[in-house]
Amino acid sequence: MLRRVSADQAITSQQLSVLGSLDHGPRRMTELAAEHGVRLPTMTAQINRLERDGLVERGRDVSDARVVTAALTATGRERLAAGREQRIGFLAERFAVLTDEERAAVAAALPALDKLFTAP
């Protein structure tokens, strides 16, 4: 559902997800690939597109110059914020039509959903 909402964005939901992974600072390419469940060449291609579009910049790990990292650019941070804002707005509209009881049921389900979707 959220993918359909962001279909008119200039970047894909997968690219937005990668930008979100970089929100707290540079990350190793291998870490990004593992986090997103893809092989390193797939993540490299994704980072290539994001770098081409000025959303990400490559760097080197300070402790090991052989390690390639990726970091958000200012434009990437703006694009991430816009994508999040759009998704949050959509969800807020959807929650607004729920009754108080339905919202309470969703809130009660959150701990179980967190347990279900959090990696062990």
Side-chain angles (χ1 to χ4, degrees), residues 34-106:
E35 180 179 326
H36 291 271
V38 298
R39 294 171 24 109
L40 185 57
T42 302
M43 183 54 63
T44 299
Q46 189 77 274
I47 294 298
N48 286 345
R49 286 188 288 276
L50 292 168
E51 185 179 36
R52 178 199 66 207
D53 294 341
L55 305 177
V56 166
E57 61 187 2
R58 291 177 197 267
R60 295 286 176 184
D61 189 294
V62 293
S63 63
D64 186 347
R66 298 170 295 173
V67 175
V68 177
T69 61
L72 283 177
T73 63
T75 303
R77 193 166 300 285
E78 290 170 8
R79 187 75 53 88
L80 175 61
R84 285 179 172 167
E85 184 176 317
Q86 182 181 25
R87 287 176 173 208
I88 290 169
F90 173 78
L91 289 172
E93 288 175 10
R94 300 293 295 205
F95 271 91
V97 300
L98 298 178
T99 65
D100 288 341
E101 293 80 19
E102 290 168 331
R103 280 194 286 276
V106 170

